[in-house]
Amino acid sequence: MSDEITVVKCGGGLSAHRETICQDLAAVAAGGPVVLVHGGAAQLDELAAQLGVPQRRLRTPGGSSSRYTDPATLDVLLMTMAGRVKPALVASLSRHGARPMGLTGMDAGLVTARRAGAHKAVVDGRTRMIRDDHSGRIHAVDPAPLHLLLDAGLLPVLSPPALGTEGEPVNVDADRIAAAVAGVLAERRPVRLVLLTSAPGVLRDPEDPGSLLPRLTVSAGSLGEADARGGMTAKLQAARAALDSGVSQVVVADGRITHPVREALAGAGTRIEKAAPFESGNV
Amino acid sequence: MSDEITVVKCGGGLSAHRETICQDLAAVAAGGPVVLVHGGAAQLDELAAQLGVPQRRLRTPGGSSSRYTDPATLDVLLMTMAGRVKPALVASLSRHGARPMGLTGMDAGLVTARRAGAHKAVVDGRTRMIRDDHSGRIHAVDPAPLHLLLDAGLLPVLSPPALGTEGEPVNVDADRIAAAVAGVLAERRPVRLVLLTSAPGVLRDPEDPGSLLPRLTVSAGSLGEADARGGMTAKLQAARAALDSGVSQVVVADGRITHPVREALAGAGTRIEKAAPFESGNV
Amino acid sequence: MNVACPECVADVKVAQQPELNEILECGECAGELEVISLDPLMVAVAPEAEEDWGE
Amino acid sequence: MNVACPECVADVKVAQQPELNEILECGECAGELEVISLDPLMVAVAPEAEEDWGE
Ligand SMILES: [Zn+2]
Ligand SMILES: [Zn+2]
């Protein structure tokens, strides 16, 4: 058994590959501690459509865009993450011999968050004051319950939401949960982070699967030479945060292959590295 | 801190009293280990109606009636239990100072079940072979993960489904989960079981709240003098199973009052007792 | 509508709209038959239930 | 449709169908106003956002 903890993030877009991912995770978990963090944006949209809950985006003055997590969407998010995506992962991991334990960030106050305060954003083309958005930023991750479960041979299966300061659910980004979890676990033990995606890794040109970057150097002011758009930007920011917290290895890799985690650890995908201080010209 | 574990079962019908129940549970949990087991039948029916999933009953040749847990209903059950009822309990318990951890019976293989085999049942007035019913009977409860969480000061919040022998979710009765959990925990430590209900306790006449039985003696062949119908029969069978497993105290009590758990432990409701062998005439 | 009992070959009467997996009883041999196909209508001897699964 | 700016009392033009919590800008003093009631239409000076919550 290795002492090194492997944290794997798996997005909802990879649900078609759940069985192979879980089989691979169970194999890795047989050799050392594993934490799985999952999202489920595609499944959230699907359930919201089934229930007739409109999904809207918020665009902030800062230019970023995020899901408008109003109370109805928060309900759909909980049902999706805790009631659909997670049980399917727990069942699959169990069938492959692992001992998974499904958690949201709320459980045991594992992931705490500060909910967004009243802020201005553009919704459906109009600027509005937003007061009922249940999304926010990670405040802290408590590593104690995770170490407890890992030491008992369990495989935590973690997802949003986090627990807000008023004891309410708060939607936070799953990539950031993965990075924050890897970061706090790294305070005590060596940790590697694998971010599974629906591409071969980070591409120089998103349209060209052949433009895979085997290595990518990020710094405080730059996400390197990747043409990072949309979801990949968030992933690379999370990767950088994990490296800053002492995570020893961060890989963005393909979740659609037969042994996605073991291949990523063996060199597939894109290894993210921190610029050495003297290299970082554009901080 | 007491060494005695308090297992509390709370049905979905008590959702209007969630805050007072959780406040009381948190107070009890501050003094000793607590496990909460919950159902959510009413919430399941509500979500099934929202999603247009018809709910049917199975009537077996043996005369009993149960929810027809077809695949669509199992999906609704998971979303209800893990995605709606449990997060609301976890959030409320957190607000009241407890450290809850939400679990289904699938997590860590906590509650394993044997799924019903092909069997005949009457559905909508017609006798049919049923092969797609995802309900079953509890096979075993693993006390180890529960002791692990309790020893760490956490409050497990447990619900159906259980984990089937093929690694699939299986719907089992929440009262029976509570009884089985109390039973296996009692192998190592003293355990008391409180079954919260929407009545003052067990009534001699269900129409007359004044007919509360302060004590009720059950035996292998009899559920005593209670006019037990519907849900109460299942509760009393669970109570009897818990007593048979060495649980020291079983109370059926009112979940609608201000301190439901503490009052139940102080003598409110109906205390269920096992007939001494010489008393049990109708075994 | 009728169907032949696979056990005793007697005619078994079928309701207007049979359902898949519905159980019919043969009036002749009292055997239990399961509807295993609707179009064409086919029945087979119903398997024994493993046990009473009601709780 | 117009509404008076609570800061400078200038007339502020409102879209055909204003929404609750919508932000309007006063052409006169450039202040940001929030629609706090639709019927009757009422606006108030919009609070400062605590910070940019985009990630
Ligand atoms: Zn016949
Ligand atoms: Zn003005």
Side-chain angles (χ1 to χ4, degrees), chain D residues 4 6 8-9 11 14 16-17 19 22 24-27 30 32-33 36 38-42 44 46 49 51-53:
Chain D
C8 71
V9 210
D11 264 6
V14 180
Q16 288 265 325
Q17 299 213 322
E19 284 175 18
E22 186 171 351
L24 313 172
E25 202 182 302
C26 172
E32 288 192 318
L33 310 179
I36 58 167
L38 289 177
D39 187 16
L41 181 65
M42 289 170 70
E51 57 181 297
D52 174 15
W53 271 94

Side-chain angles (χ1 to χ4, degrees), chain A residues 12-181:
Chain A
L14 285 166
S15 65
H17 306 275
R18 186 173 53 231
E19 289 305 315
T20 48
I21 292 171
C22 286
Q23 185 172 31
D24 199 37
L25 280 167
V28 176
V34 172
V35 177
L36 174 62
V37 178
H38 70 87
Q43 290 81 351
L44 198 170
D45 289 335
E46 188 188 334
L47 182 58
Q50 279 184 272
L51 289 167
V53 174
Q55 291 303 290
R56 295 171 293 178
R57 306 285 305 176
L58 292 178
R59 195 162 46 76
T60 67
S64 65
S65 166
S66 66
R67 188 184 293 273
Y68 185 1
T69 313
D70 58 8
T73 294
L74 181 66
D75 177 45
V76 176
L77 181 142
L78 278 163
M79 288 196 285
T80 302
M81 297 293 177
R84 266 192 173 159
V85 178
K86 197 185 308 297
L89 290 166
V90 166
S92 180
L93 287 164
S94 298
R95 283 193 294 273
H96 291 109
R99 296 189 64 219
M101 186 173 272
L103 302 167
T104 74
M106 298 174 71
D107 290 311
L110 209 52
V111 184
T112 47
R114 281 214 312 133
R115 204 183 136 187
H119 62 287
K120 296 183 190 76
V122 180
V123 187
D124 297 337
R126 283 181 166 183
T127 304
R128 280 180 46 191
M129 282 306 295
I130 303 292
R131 291 191 179 82
D132 63 349
D133 184 31
H134 288 258
S135 66
R137 285 179 180 170
I138 295 172
H139 168 67
V141 173
D142 181 0
L146 292 172
H147 284 300
L148 180 78
L149 299 179
L150 293 172
D151 290 347
L154 296 169
L155 194 166
V157 180
L158 179 63
S159 76
L163 186 68
T165 43
E166 311 290 320
E168 80 281 26
V170 175
N171 185 16
V172 294
D173 179 67
D175 284 318
R176 293 203 173 251
I177 290 182
V181 161

Side-chain angles (χ1 to χ4, degrees), chain C residues 5 8 26 29:
Chain C
C5 172
C8 71
C26 171
C29 70

Side-chain angles (χ1 to χ4, degrees), chain B residues 128-146:
Chain B
R128 278 181 48 192
M129 282 306 295
I130 304 293
R131 292 191 178 82
D132 63 349
D133 184 32
H134 288 257
S135 67
R137 286 180 180 167
I138 295 172
H139 168 66
V141 173
D142 181 1
L146 292 172

